[in-house]
Amino acid sequence: MKESAMPISSVRTFSQTLIEHQLPALRAQSIHTLQVNVGKRCNQTCHHCHVDAGPSRTEMMTRETVETILTVLRRHPQMITVDITGGAPELNPCFEYLVSECRALGRTVIDRCNLTVFFVKGKSHLPEFLARHQVEVIASLPCYLEENVDQQRGTGVFGRSITALQQLNALGYGQESRGLVLNLVYNPLGPRLPPDQRELEATYKEELFSRFGIRFNRLYTVTNMPINRFLKDLYAQGRHDEYMNLLVEHFNPHSVENVMCRTLLSVGWDGRLYDCDFNQMLNLPLGRNLPQTISDFAADALAQRAITIGQHCYGCTAGAGSSCGGALT
Ligand code: SF4
Ligand code: SF4
């Protein structure tokens, strides 16, 4: 096991905690999902963003890298899900090509969508495109109240998000029988752990349907990662140590078996490989003896790799645990 030297907190290290709980070093068990980060450009600039994404970012995956990813997927059918993220992934000019080719290969495709991208000039066709290709949409909506969403994600974001969700519903998203999956993501507005996922999902369903007639499939509760913009906010508020202690005190040994890096591999916009999107944002590379780019992909070595960990891993293992697919326990 390798551990990042990043001085994110003075609390005991994540590897010490694993040892104290008599847990083995983190190691991958398969690569079920290839998570592809196609770039850092976004039409929003949210306070909690772990990517530091925004309209001025220029990092974008090229068509050449997309082709390399498709070649790897053709050779490795065990990677059954392609999880496309960003920034706003739809702003990459290759997004629609990547989606349609992955679907043609029979892969489940996830679009991590901020919803407001539907209102960017030239992107109004996206809801129909996503429905036509049966793309699973995972959309951020940190609250069902306008004030809270706009506070975290920017003025007017809530209203546009609601309209976007209504557009997706009109196409059949959120209805079990149509096979068009619409999942929402909740993350706390400040340095707190998320509440119980099942209870919050029930509240979201009731509130969104009664207020706006919106239906969706699942709500994923996600813990804010103490990295990048959220980390800067913690320091600015003088609440960094408080938040790290909260994560450490709520370490849940049962979540460790299910952390997403055990079944996922992350590809950066430049084709570099990482254990997860968080390691990618921290520039924490894979172990030294492993392939470092998608061009060097080697399934056997990567599927059983030792995972590079750091203090931010407490964000995945606090409380009910947290991943791109919500709570872990
Ligand atoms: S959190 Fe998502 S929508 Fe917000 S700035 Fe980051 S990538 Fe964009
Ligand atoms: S941050 Fe989470 S997903 Fe990433 S390496 Fe740590 S435990 Fe695994």
Side-chain angles (χ1 to χ4, degrees):
M1 176 181 14
K2 300 181 343 75
E3 179 141 24
S4 110
M6 195 182 68
I8 200 169
S9 168
S10 56
V11 296
R12 66 179 173 277
T13 67
F14 188 69
S15 62
Q16 281 170 335
T17 295
L18 292 181
I19 291 165
E20 276 167 28
H21 286 82
Q22 299 182 322
L23 291 164
L26 266 190
R27 188 170 272 282
Q29 60 181 20
S30 64
I31 310 174
H32 172 284
T33 298
L34 192 67
Q35 190 170 65
V36 183
N37 192 314
V38 294
K40 298 192 178 184
R41 186 172 301 160
C42 188
N43 54 307
Q44 292 183 191
T45 326
C46 306
H47 286 304
H48 69 290
C49 184
H50 75 267
V51 181
D52 265 350
S56 60
R57 298 302 295 253
T58 54
E59 301 91 332
M60 281 283 188
M61 184 172 281
T62 62
R63 174 69 176 248
E64 194 185 349
T65 305
V66 167
E67 293 294 358
T68 309
I69 289 170
L70 292 170
T71 302
V72 168
L73 287 170
R74 276 183 207 107
R75 290 182 188 151
H76 300 284
Q78 68 270 33
M79 290 189 283
I80 57 175
T81 300
V82 181
D83 182 343
I84 307 177
T85 187
E90 306 87 348
L91 296 182
N92 184 313
C94 301
F95 171 79
E96 290 172 37
Y97 174 70
L98 176 62
V99 168
S100 49
E101 291 298 305
C102 289
R103 291 296 296 138
L105 290 172
R107 299 319 210 274
T108 297
V109 174
I110 295 171
D111 174 27
R112 293 197 177 264
C113 178
N114 69 13
L115 297 172
T116 61
V117 74
F118 295 172
F119 304 98
V120 170
K121 195 173 171 210
K123 298 293 178 190
S124 60
H125 64 288
L126 277 170
E128 286 86 1
F129 171 83
L130 295 168
R132 193 165 67 251
H133 290 85
Q134 294 204 294
V135 175
E136 179 177 330
V137 174
I138 300 187
S140 308
L141 194 71
C143 192
Y144 43 80
L145 297 174
E146 180 168 7
E147 187 188 342
N148 289 341
V149 173
D150 284 3
Q151 181 194 326
Q152 184 182 89
R153 298 177 72 79
T155 307
V157 167
F158 182 77
R160 292 200 298 278
S161 300
I162 293 299
T163 306
L165 289 170
Q166 288 167 335
Q167 287 178 0
L168 289 169
N169 277 173
L171 289 160
Y173 269 99
Q175 296 164 37
E176 300 285 347
S177 57
R178 300 289 293 274
L180 291 172
V181 178
L182 172 60
N183 295 327
L184 301 184
V185 175
Y186 162 90
N187 62 286
L189 289 165
R192 291 186 295 276
L193 291 179
D196 179 83
Q197 182 168 276
R198 212 175 310 168
E199 283 173 21
L200 190 63
E201 179 182 289
T203 307
Y204 257 65
K205 284 195 167 167
E206 199 180 304
E207 294 286 341
L208 287 177
F209 188 72
S210 64
R211 288 163 190 255
F212 308 107
I214 288 170
R215 293 179 195 277
F216 65 95
N217 298 98
R218 298 285 318 279
L219 178 76
Y220 296 149
T221 56
V222 171
T223 302
N224 288 315
M225 270 287 157
I227 62 177
N228 278 343
R229 214 171 275 155
F230 188 72
L231 180 67
K232 283 178 209 146
D233 260 15
L234 287 174
Y235 277 122
Q237 293 171 27
R239 301 187 69 181
H240 170 262
D241 288 358
E242 175 197 337
Y243 188 60
M244 284 311 298
N245 285 331
L246 177 79
L247 297 182
V248 174
E249 279 161 19
H250 288 83
F251 174 75
N252 177 354
H254 302 294
S255 66
V256 174
E257 193 185 338
N258 298 323
V259 288
M260 63 185 176
C261 48
R262 301 200 66 215
T263 53
L264 169 151
L265 186 69
S266 164
V267 192
W269 66 272
D270 55 359
R272 296 196 73 78
L273 299 176
Y274 301 89
D275 290 303
C276 69
D277 203 51
F278 307 121
N279 282 11
Q280 184 183 143
M281 296 313 145
L282 290 169
N283 278 320
L284 289 179
L286 295 183
R288 230 176 286 144
N289 299 326
L290 292 166
Q292 297 294 320
T293 68
I294 192 72
S295 326
D296 305 324
F297 187 89
D300 289 348
L302 290 167
Q304 299 168 37
R305 70 192 186 277
I307 289 165
T308 304
I309 59 171
Q311 297 299 73
H312 59 295
C313 296
Y314 282 115
C316 291
T317 53
S322 176
S323 73
C324 290
L328 297 173
T329 58

